[in-house]
Amino acid sequence: QPLVRETLDAADEPLELLFEAYAGAMYPQDEMEDEEEEEGGGGGSGSSELKIDRAEMIHLLQDFEIMARGAPIEAMCGVFVGCKQALNPTEFKRCIARAALALSPEEDEEGAPISTNDHKLRWLLKQLPLRIDFTKLPVLDVQRRVRVLAAAEHIAGLLMV
């Protein structure tokens, strides 16, 4: 999927901001860092040591009403295949792309079909700037909210929303 990879690469900075905003928002990071050090992976710095729990990623999707609250749809079953409970930044981006496949509608707001995987990913990313004005971010502190706002702004410029 070269187009999906290109879109993910282009959206790397805003996805990193979203990752940093939600990673640890619901679950303490020090527990996950201890696990990582025990596994011998404590050599990096910054966000490379952060992990985002699957529930935090789902909360992100729910905050922007990309995914409804309550029981997840059946199509979400494959989103986290091959991943642990806590995701690193690369796994997070892969799971966002997979979630786009599971959650995107058949048509966009103008009624045009959403048929390619890249178009589905772009639809998901586009929801952030489109919905940021009325999205409440109840689990995020001010610094985390600033990251989400910056990510939405960056995506808006990237996708010309």
Side-chain angles (χ1 to χ4, degrees), residues 8-70:
L8 285 172
D9 288 345
D12 189 58
E13 184 178 333
L15 287 172
E16 186 72 27
L17 288 168
L18 289 172
F19 175 85
E20 290 171 356
Y22 278 86
M26 297 168 65
Y27 302 102
Q29 288 295 294
D30 51 12
E31 291 175 20
M32 287 182 247
E33 289 172 8
D34 291 344
E35 290 173 17
E36 190 175 56
E37 286 175 10
E38 288 172 13
E39 294 172 12
S45 65
S47 64
S48 64
E49 293 180 7
L50 284 177
K51 299 278 187 175
I52 187 169
D53 190 87
R54 293 177 184 190
E56 291 169 332
M57 184 183 135
I58 288 172
H59 202 78
L60 161 66
L61 297 171
Q62 291 172 336
D63 280 351
F64 285 89
E65 298 178 6
I66 296 167
M67 181 176 157
R69 299 205 184 269

Side-chain angles (χ1 to χ4, degrees), residues 14 34-35 40 59 75 91-92 109 119 126 132 160:
D34 291 344
E35 290 173 17
H59 202 78
E91 292 166 330
F92 168 73
E109 299 79 24
H119 195 185
K126 201 164 131 181
I132 192 68
M160 310 268 192

